[in-house]
Amino acid sequence: MPEVIDHRPGRQPQPQPVQRVRRDPAPSRLKYRLERMWLRPIWRRTVRIGLPAFLVAMTAGLWLADEDRRASLTDGIDGLVQKVQSREEFMVRMMTIEGASPVVDKALRAMLPVDLPASSFDIDLTALRLQVMQLDAVETIDLRIKPGGILSAVVKERVPALLWRHGRGIEILDASGHRVASVTSREVRPDLPLIAGEGADRAAQEALALVDAAGPILPRLRGLVYRGERRWDVVLDHGQRIMLPAEGGAVALEAAIALHRQQDLLGRDIDVIDLRNPSRPVMRLGVDARNTIRSVRGLPPLGPDGKVIDEKQGG
């Protein structure tokens, strides 16, 4: 339809409507791909965490690349650490030791890695405990730093139970056979039972059981000798000896003591009571008893060494 123009006087031409171009709502290909990537958690973590961390690390690396800056930073950190560790609440000023003998007390104080007063950070309690446990006389130790700057050491020493004589000298053992100390002679600890023989320390508990079983004849007991690392000999005064079996030694010793009570066995001239075979005990008479029997039989006497005395040589 043709446009009609009104040419009448006084009439203004009407404005024509502007036609707008409709925009396509679909995103561009690049924007679409970026939105798809943003939906993945790995990309979000990379942008939010990884990228800032990378920038911080790169900045720190560039700053620390200078040697003077690194030295200044190290000195500052060391100074701060030293300042914190030297604070009054961290200082240890004294050491208390409980349950230790004077010798162990002196050794413990000498083992302290630093001189007091010192910072608690300079005292390694674990290393100090391991070092103290190397002392033979110490069984256990409890180390701790108490409030007030006190290093407390509660010591439990090993209790001497036996003297062990071997080829290298005489040592004091506890009930488990652990070494406590060395002595120069038995007279240093005459109150402790004496054992002898190689490997006797590993059978300390068995030796103590024999000492307990020897109660009635304990005043006559001179020691125990470990034979072949398997059995014991009980050594009494006057040179008497009781040879015990490898198994059931305490029972065999109690049987010998019971026989002594009944027949005064150990009061007679008997050198050795052999109980290695409990079902067939054997007794070895002394020289005087054997000479009495030999004189009745008309045989020549025996000397102290058990050998026959040659009368011609004796005359």
Side-chain angles (χ1 to χ4, degrees):
M1 180 178 183
E3 182 180 358
V4 179
I5 300 176
D6 189 359
H7 296 285
R8 290 179 296 177
R11 302 289 294 182
Q12 295 293 333
Q14 297 294 327
Q16 299 296 322
V18 179
Q19 293 186 3
R20 298 181 180 179
V21 180
R22 297 185 62 184
R23 190 175 180 181
D24 189 359
S28 65
R29 182 174 298 180
L30 177 60
K31 184 178 180 181
Y32 174 76
R33 289 186 176 181
L34 290 176
E35 289 179 352
R36 292 292 299 177
M37 291 173 58
W38 188 252
L39 293 176
R40 297 181 180 180
I42 186 172
W43 285 105
R44 292 201 300 271
R45 286 194 294 266
T46 301
V47 173
R48 294 175 178 174
I49 302 175
L51 184 59
F54 172 75
L55 293 176
V56 171
M58 184 177 65
T59 304
L62 293 174
W63 191 85
L64 293 174
D66 186 77
E67 185 175 353
D68 294 336
R69 293 196 189 103
R70 291 200 305 271
S72 177
L73 179 62
T74 303
D75 293 341
I77 294 176
D78 292 342
L80 180 62
V81 171
Q82 184 66 26
K83 184 177 180 180
V84 172
Q85 292 181 354
S86 300
R87 295 181 62 176
E88 183 65 25
E89 55 265 30
F90 298 130
M91 296 299 293
V92 177
R93 300 192 175 278
M94 62 179 299
M95 180 178 184
T96 61
I97 300 177
E98 301 177 15
S101 61
V103 176
V104 176
D105 185 292
K106 183 178 180 180
L108 287 178
R109 296 184 186 279
M111 287 181 176
L112 195 64
V114 294
D115 295 330
L116 300 180
S119 173
S120 59
F121 292 94
D122 295 332
I123 303 176
D124 189 346
L125 294 181
T126 302
L128 181 59
R129 183 179 294 107
L130 293 176
Q131 187 177 1
V132 170
M133 290 304 297
Q134 294 179 2
L135 295 175
D136 292 325
V138 177
E139 183 175 359
T140 61
I141 182 170
D142 181 22
L143 286 172
R144 63 183 63 190
I145 297 178
K146 293 183 177 181
I150 301 175
L151 175 59
S152 172
V154 180
V155 179
K156 180 181 179 182
E157 293 191 21
R158 298 184 183 277
V159 180
L162 294 167
L163 287 178
W164 175 37
R165 175 179 289 164
H166 52 86
R168 298 173 296 278
I170 302 177
E171 294 180 354
I172 301 177
L173 307 179
D174 67 356
S176 65
H178 194 284
R179 180 182 179 275
V180 177
S182 298
V183 294
T184 56
S185 64
R186 184 179 183 181
E187 285 70 21
V188 176
R189 291 299 302 267
D191 56 312
L192 298 179
L194 177 67
I195 62 176
E198 292 299 324
D201 57 326
R202 295 189 293 272
Q205 295 182 353
E206 185 178 353
L208 290 174
L210 292 176
V211 172
D212 291 339
I217 60 173
L218 195 58
R220 297 188 55 189
L221 181 65
R222 293 296 174 264
L224 302 173
V225 180
Y226 203 43
R227 297 292 186 181
E229 299 188 15
R230 55 185 298 269
R231 66 169 196 84
W232 293 94
D233 282 356
V234 179
V235 181
L236 305 176
D237 56 0
H238 307 305
Q240 288 183 323
R241 182 181 298 259
I242 303 175
M243 304 172 67
L244 301 177
E247 300 292 337
V251 176
L253 179 59
E254 291 174 353
I257 294 175
L259 188 61
H260 166 66
R261 287 176 173 175
Q262 295 175 1
Q263 303 181 13
D264 191 24
L265 184 64
L266 297 176
R268 302 182 182 185
D269 188 13
I270 297 176
D271 287 344
V272 178
I273 301 176
D274 189 349
L275 300 177
R276 289 177 292 179
N277 185 356
S279 61
R280 297 184 61 184
V282 177
M283 288 175 287
R284 185 187 305 168
L285 299 177
V287 175
D288 293 339
R290 282 185 284 173
N291 283 334
T292 301
I293 296 175
R294 292 176 69 86
S295 64
V296 173
R297 295 178 179 177
L299 299 175
L302 301 176
D305 57 356
K307 296 182 180 180
V308 178
I309 298 176
D310 191 340
E311 295 182 357
K312 295 181 180 180
Q313 294 180 356

